[in-house]
Amino acid sequence: MTETTTDMSDATAGVTPVGVAGAPGTGVVGEGVPAQGPGDGHEASEILAAARVCVDPELHEAVDSLPGHLRRVARYHFGWEHADGTPAAGSAGKAIRPALVLAAVQALGGEPATAVRAATAVELIHNFTLLHDDVMDRDATRRHRPTAWSVFGVTDAILVGDALQALAQRLLAEDPHPAAPAAAARLARCVVELCAGQHADCALEGRGPDEVTLDECLAMAEAKTGALLGCACALGALYAGGGPEEVDALDGFGREAGLAFQLIDDVIGIWGDPGHTGKPAGADLTARKKSLPVVAALASGTPAAAELAALYAGSPGKGSPGKGEGEGHEERDGELERVARAVERAGGRDWAQAHAADRMSRAVGQLARAVPDPEAAGGLLALAEFVTRRTQ
Amino acid sequence: MTETTTDMSDATAGVTPVGVAGAPGTGVVGEGVPAQGPGDGHEASEILAAARVCVDPELHEAVDSLPGHLRRVARYHFGWEHADGTPAAGSAGKAIRPALVLAAVQALGGEPATAVRAATAVELIHNFTLLHDDVMDRDATRRHRPTAWSVFGVTDAILVGDALQALAQRLLAEDPHPAAPAAAARLARCVVELCAGQHADCALEGRGPDEVTLDECLAMAEAKTGALLGCACALGALYAGGGPEEVDALDGFGREAGLAFQLIDDVIGIWGDPGHTGKPAGADLTARKKSLPVVAALASGTPAAAELAALYAGSPGKGSPGKGEGEGHEERDGELERVARAVERAGGRDWAQAHAADRMSRAVGQLARAVPDPEAAGGLLALAEFVTRRTQ
């Protein structure tokens, strides 16, 4: 699977250096953005922290309105409780999506405080998809902890996901803000797109590496990852009273930034640092995922592509994915290294980095359509930079 | 499992005679309702047919707005297509819930045509829960056809359920009717209650017959079955411009009628006619379901209760549930008959029938609070009668 299901805030928190484009130390935003300022990541972490503070009371209130056991499973999923119900100090992620909602309101001159319910609704939808995607993908860990289904069972994880979708819509239905109905409709449309993206992801996983096109994979990534980031920005625009053009432009901004994120996340899934990302280097290769750099490499027509196809056709390396202990460790590492080198020689890494930069450039263009003043656009740019930036 | 997942319209269409209360040929509504008129089932079938005609175009439009494969799975689930995508003449059920929405609008003097979107939204929510409940319960058939998950896989059934919930909320978010936001909030709260009911059902199934109280089972049935019927009526009241008392009274009417339905459905699950109900006689006993008559019987303190407990503690009868062919047929039938007789001798059948009548009486009382004019209340009464009535 590619990563709708990635909580990007965790995956990119303090990430390993991943060259994206341009000179070392600069992000992918490129021209027109100073090397220091919105792009230096400092402002982004403040924006994210502020969004978390804004949204958390509403999020807790919504989750705590769930009856008995559903509440307990949800509180576990959000990292607020351990499996036994005792309080946990864990983080529910870095609130990228709520931060995008609030920053979009601000970028268009609105009052972010009016959009806290909408920001919370987006976070609830994100978490509903995480719960369900983990069930479908049988993923065992999420945010460094066992997934809800693996602790409480598939039934409870499905039900709590269903309930979180309902809570999100309840928050918007109860919100007297005049933008709330349009936001609710847009969020509901987004859920359908997320479902289509997850279906496409699962369908692509079931096909051979030579039966998958790069365009299909990009379309899937847009639906799975870009759609909700775009929706978050669009909801912010609606709450700021933006017109259809501004709403669409901000949707486009979030989508393109989401694609850039996905490309970088896929690079991390091959060459990243497990200590920082929570995802072991090579995990996507071990699982024979058809991630974007791999599919680009396979489509390159190079000798390395043929070598990669042969390696991917073989059975996955020995040793459990994500573990490096026990027999087969060295053999597995050697095979993963061969696969990673083949992806790189076939141009998969360069393509992903260049394409991420291209997507970020498109994102910036969309943003400029709606928010020509760079000062006003600073918060959104900083967030987009954050999800795709190098670490210091 | 008890039956959220039952499509009551199918399960009770032309059901086998089941004595409920009162003299033969009368329904459970009891005093104040003429033996002919709203209670004779004739008007109900006209109301249901009219609701289906009202709702179907909106329902088709919503489902057909789904992208590609999700649309196909949804169309299969609704019985509009076969698994291979060719058109099917199947029925999507009898539209009890949409009919309740529209009848409630009419009972309070509103214009049913204004509530078609709300009625469609309720039908979408019902079908979302059917798709997910079938996954959780691993039920193989629904409306006499293989369930969506058994044809398309668990992932697609989960995703299409998710998408139907989103479609329901989209319809309400796009509805300019002034009651739409309150209806959306109420429907979202109902979804949380349905999830809690399904969780309770699964949790009760995992416990021993002597570890389950009748009150727990009744509370579960109210959440799983009563909540959405109540919500349907409440939405109708909202769309008719009803005040909080009328909305609550109609919610209560639907809940009580839903409980009455559940009790009768459980009676059918033990003594019903498979030819008519789609559920083979004894199916609930074969599966050792802790349905309401069984739990009432176990709690009776009679010698038959002890006998029943011993029978229920044993392994289920030979032969696959729902099938009567092959070896072990006679042995299975003999055992089922013993279990059914024990439930009856312990008073489980009489209790369920008396309690269904009591619930219907409460339903009628709630209805009278909001709609004192029997003429205006006729449509809702006819529908309530329909789902719990004897056949002719």
Side-chain angles (χ1 to χ4, degrees):
Chain A
M1 306 295 132
T2 324
E3 328 299 81
T4 324
T5 51
T6 296
D7 189 336
M8 63 174 55
S9 43
D10 287 342
T12 55
V15 296
T16 307
V18 173
V20 174
T26 63
V28 294
V29 173
E31 295 172 86
V33 177
Q36 297 302 312
D40 69 358
H42 182 64
E43 195 189 335
S45 50
E46 284 175 9
I47 295 170
L48 290 167
R52 173 59 67 211
V53 168
C54 279
V55 162
D56 261 358
E58 193 82 40
L59 189 62
H60 277 264
E61 192 180 325
V63 168
D64 288 347
S65 76
L66 293 174
H69 188 75
L70 300 184
R71 178 172 63 241
R72 186 172 155 197
V73 176
R75 290 181 59 86
Y76 172 83
H77 167 77
F78 278 104
W80 305 337
E81 283 182 7
H82 298 295
D84 63 3
T86 56
S91 151
K94 284 209 171 45
I96 284 281
R97 292 162 192 80
L100 285 172
V101 176
L102 302 176
V105 177
Q106 190 150 38
L108 288 175
E111 175 46 67
T114 63
V116 170
R117 280 192 221 188
T120 308
V122 170
E123 186 71 352
L124 287 165
I125 291 296
H126 174 53
N127 282 279
F128 133 61
T129 66
L130 296 180
L131 280 159
H132 281 193
D133 288 358
D134 285 344
V135 166
M136 298 176 216
D137 302 344
R138 289 291 188 273
D139 279 333
T141 60
R142 156 83 50 204
R143 297 170 184 152
H144 310 277
R145 305 161 74 222
T147 42
W149 73 264
S150 69
V151 174
F152 296 98
V154 164
T155 289
D156 286 351
I158 294 174
L159 289 171
V160 173
D162 291 343
L164 295 190
Q165 183 182 180
L167 284 181
Q169 287 291 346
R170 200 202 84 205
L171 285 186
L172 292 173
E174 290 174 348
D175 187 349
H177 194 288
R186 194 158 189 121
L187 192 57
R189 285 181 194 275
C190 179
V191 167
V192 172
E193 190 172 355
L194 294 169
C195 292
Q198 170 70 0
H199 167 76
D201 192 9
C202 296
L204 289 172
E205 286 300 317
R207 284 151 61 182
D210 55 346
E211 301 165 337
V212 169
T213 71
L214 196 49
D215 281 349
E216 284 175 318
C217 291
L218 284 167
M220 181 274 288
E222 181 175 340
K224 271 198 76 166
T225 306
L228 189 54
L229 296 197
C231 185
C233 297
L235 261 54
L238 286 167
Y239 271 71
E245 283 195 19
E246 287 164 315
V247 174
D248 283 351
L250 280 182
D251 190 291
F253 163 75
R255 277 178 190 268
E256 298 292 358
L259 250 296
F261 158 72
Q262 187 60 63
L263 286 152
I264 298 306
D265 193 64
D266 282 358
V267 168
I268 290 171
I270 300 176
W271 296 281
D273 177 347
H276 284 142
T277 62
K279 178 190 274 191
D284 285 358
L285 301 182
T286 305
R288 296 289 188 262
K289 284 189 184 172
K290 289 183 275 289
S291 69
L292 291 162
V294 170
V295 175
L298 287 167
S300 66
T302 59
E307 189 190 326
L308 176 62
L311 285 163
Y312 246 54
S315 63
K318 291 180 185 173
S320 306
K323 287 185 182 164
E325 295 94 23
E327 293 187 317
H329 179 183
E330 285 178 21
E331 191 182 337
R332 185 192 75 113
D333 282 359
E335 188 192 279
L336 284 184
E337 217 173 295
R338 279 195 301 281
V339 178
R341 272 205 306 268
V343 177
E344 190 152 11
R345 280 187 290 116
R349 184 174 188 161
D350 286 346
W351 172 85
Q353 291 176 331
H355 199 69
D358 178 49
R359 290 291 184 159
M360 271 305 287
S361 160
R362 294 193 215 178
V364 172
Q366 292 276 16
L367 181 56
R369 273 176 57 205
V371 190
D373 173 12
E375 178 74 22
L380 285 171
L381 276 176
L383 290 171
E385 263 286 89
F386 176 84
V387 300
T388 55
R389 78 190 158 109
R390 302 154 166 254
T391 192
Q392 268 58 53
Chain B
M1 307 297 130
T2 325
E3 331 299 72
T4 336
T5 50
T6 295
D7 190 336
M8 65 173 53
S9 43
D10 288 341
T12 55
V15 296
T16 308
V18 174
V20 175
T26 62
V28 293
V29 173
E31 295 171 86
V33 177
Q36 298 301 312
D40 70 358
H42 182 63
E43 194 189 337
S45 50
E46 283 175 9
I47 295 170
L48 290 167
R52 175 58 68 211
V53 168
C54 280
V55 162
D56 261 358
E58 192 82 40
L59 189 62
H60 277 263
E61 193 180 323
V63 167
D64 288 346
S65 76
L66 293 174
H69 187 75
L70 300 184
R71 178 172 63 243
R72 186 171 156 200
V73 176
R75 289 181 60 86
Y76 171 82
H77 166 78
F78 279 103
W80 305 336
E81 283 181 8
H82 298 295
D84 64 3
T86 55
S91 151
K94 283 206 173 51
I96 283 281
R97 291 160 192 80
L100 286 172
V101 176
L102 302 175
V105 177
Q106 189 149 39
L108 288 175
E111 174 47 67
T114 63
V116 169
R117 280 193 222 187
T120 308
V122 170
E123 187 70 352
L124 286 165
I125 290 295
H126 174 53
N127 282 279
F128 133 61
T129 65
L130 296 181
L131 279 158
H132 281 193
D133 287 358
D134 285 343
V135 165
M136 297 176 218
D137 303 343
R138 288 291 189 271
D139 279 334
T141 59
R142 157 81 51 204
R143 297 169 183 152
H144 309 279
R145 306 161 74 222
T147 42
W149 72 265
S150 69
V151 174
F152 296 98
V154 164
T155 290
D156 286 352
I158 294 174
L159 289 171
V160 173
D162 291 343
L164 295 190
Q165 182 180 179
L167 283 181
Q169 287 291 348
R170 201 202 83 205
L171 285 185
L172 291 173
E174 290 175 348
D175 187 349
H177 194 287
R186 195 159 189 121
L187 191 57
R189 285 181 193 275
C190 179
V191 167
V192 172
E193 190 172 356
L194 295 170
C195 292
Q198 171 70 1
H199 166 75
D201 192 7
C202 296
L204 290 173
E205 285 302 316
R207 284 150 61 182
D210 55 345
E211 301 164 338
V212 168
T213 70
L214 196 50
D215 281 348
E216 285 175 316
C217 291
L218 285 167
M220 182 274 288
E222 181 175 341
K224 271 197 76 164
T225 307
L228 189 55
L229 296 197
C231 185
C233 296
L235 261 55
L238 286 168
Y239 271 71
E245 283 195 19
E246 286 163 317
V247 174
D248 284 351
L250 280 182
D251 190 292
F253 163 74
R255 278 179 188 266
E256 299 291 356
L259 250 297
F261 157 72
Q262 187 59 63
L263 287 152
I264 297 306
D265 192 63
D266 283 358
V267 168
I268 291 171
I270 300 176
W271 297 280
D273 177 349
H276 283 142
T277 63
K279 178 189 276 192
D284 286 357
L285 300 182
T286 305
R288 297 290 187 260
K289 284 190 182 172
K290 289 182 276 290
S291 68
L292 291 162
V294 170
V295 175
L298 287 166
S300 66
T302 59
E307 189 190 328
L308 176 62
L311 285 163
Y312 246 55
S315 63
K318 290 180 187 176
S320 306
K323 289 183 182 164
E325 297 95 24
E327 294 185 315
H329 180 181
E330 284 179 23
E331 192 182 336
R332 186 192 75 111
D333 283 0
E335 188 192 278
L336 285 184
E337 217 173 293
R338 277 197 300 281
V339 177
R341 272 205 306 267
V343 176
E344 192 152 11
R345 281 187 289 116
R349 185 174 188 161
D350 286 346
W351 172 84
Q353 292 176 330
H355 199 68
D358 178 50
R359 291 290 185 161
M360 271 305 287
S361 160
R362 294 193 214 178
V364 172
Q366 293 276 15
L367 181 57
R369 274 175 56 204
V371 190
D373 173 12
E375 178 75 22
L380 285 170
L381 277 176
L383 289 171
E385 263 286 88
F386 176 83
V387 300
T388 54
R389 80 196 154 106
R390 305 154 167 253
T391 192
Q392 267 57 53

